[in-house]
Amino acid sequence: MAHTALVTGAASGLGFATAEALIQAQFSVALLDSQPQTLALALQQLIRTYPAAKAMAYVADVTSETAVAEALAKINTDLGIPSVIVNCAGILRASRTVGKQGPMPLSEYEQVIRINLIGTFNVIRLSVANMQSLPTDKNGERGVIINTSSIAAFEGQIGQAAYSASKAGVAGMTLPLAREFSTLGIRVMAIAPGLMETPMLKTLSSSAQTALNQSTLFPKRLGKPTEFATLVLSIVNNPLLNGEIIRLDGGIRLSV
């Protein structure tokens, strides 16, 4: 398998931790994000920590066909065609479908679906168009795609109609894509994280975070981005993992 990886949403949180883990595993890593300043700082931090790292940053909105295609063309030239794609780009929106101010704006629902689900699919389809030209390894494998779903796909709470739908969509396309790409030697997996210690959840009050920690069976804490990244590497290194969604949640089951 070629030794280049692409991570979307790489400027922070799960994406940044994954990019760092892949660098540690000697991958050439393309960091893709829509936030140029945050992305530049993330790359600087990685280069300072790993001076020998072969890592480059690319600014693109995952929902844009043109922007992603252009970024991939640059990545192919700069680092080589990625054989590992990790889709971490996404947003979290909590809003009741019908609240005190009336119905949820349709634009808010569309934005969550567009970034979390359509953006993931957009990166997959454009990446695989390139990945299929890579030579196979001794096991007949060309690459692996790892998408980020969520436990909210299965136990969405009140106010999560848009987010849960988007993440359920990511989970739902895992097996169909794995079946389709099997003839190409490309695996497709999804990770469904639970409550993770990311910038999104850090905005909650300390009391809210404590309550969430207590609802986890064990360990009673938020998940760490490095634990997500460790699972990514495990999936990359285990060729029998395919067409499955793995929960990474400490045994938590979300209540209403």
Side-chain angles (χ1 to χ4, degrees), residues 34-53:
S34 63
Q35 305 298 318
Q37 292 183 333
T38 309
L39 181 60
L41 291 174
L43 181 63
Q44 289 173 13
Q45 180 178 337
L46 289 172
I47 296 301
R48 282 197 304 269
T49 308
Y50 309 97

Side-chain angles (χ1 to χ4, degrees), residues 58-161:
Y58 302 86
V59 178
D61 177 350
V62 294
T63 69
S64 168
E65 179 173 7
T66 301
V68 173
E70 290 177 350
L72 285 172
K74 293 176 183 177
I75 293 167
N76 295 346
T77 299
D78 297 338
L79 301 172
I81 296 174
S83 61
V84 174
I85 308 293
V86 186
N87 282 303
C88 295
I91 61 171
L92 175 63
R93 290 285 186 273
S95 179
R96 286 179 177 264
T97 306
V98 181
K100 294 180 180 180
Q101 305 302 318
M104 175 184 183
L106 187 59
S107 59
E108 288 186 15
Y109 187 92
E110 290 176 332
Q111 182 188 36
V112 175
I113 297 296
R114 184 156 186 81
I115 294 174
N116 293 358
L117 178 55
I118 297 176
T120 296
F121 182 76
N122 187 39
V123 173
I124 292 171
R125 69 188 188 90
L126 295 174
S127 298
V128 170
N130 298 319
M131 194 187 295
Q132 65 181 342
S133 67
L134 289 172
T136 60
D137 65 12
K138 62 181 181 181
N139 298 313
E141 184 174 351
R142 284 192 170 86
V144 57
I145 296 164
I146 304 170
N147 300 319
T148 305
S149 181
S150 167
I151 60 171
F154 315 107
E155 299 142 24
Q157 298 177 298
I158 292 172
Q160 289 188 324

Side-chain angles (χ1 to χ4, degrees), residues 34 48 50 82 120 123 163 169 184 213 217 231 245 253:
S34 63
R48 282 197 304 269
Y50 309 97
T120 296
V123 173
Y163 184 74
L184 300 175
N213 291 343
L217 292 183
L231 181 53
I245 302 106
R253 294 299 182 268

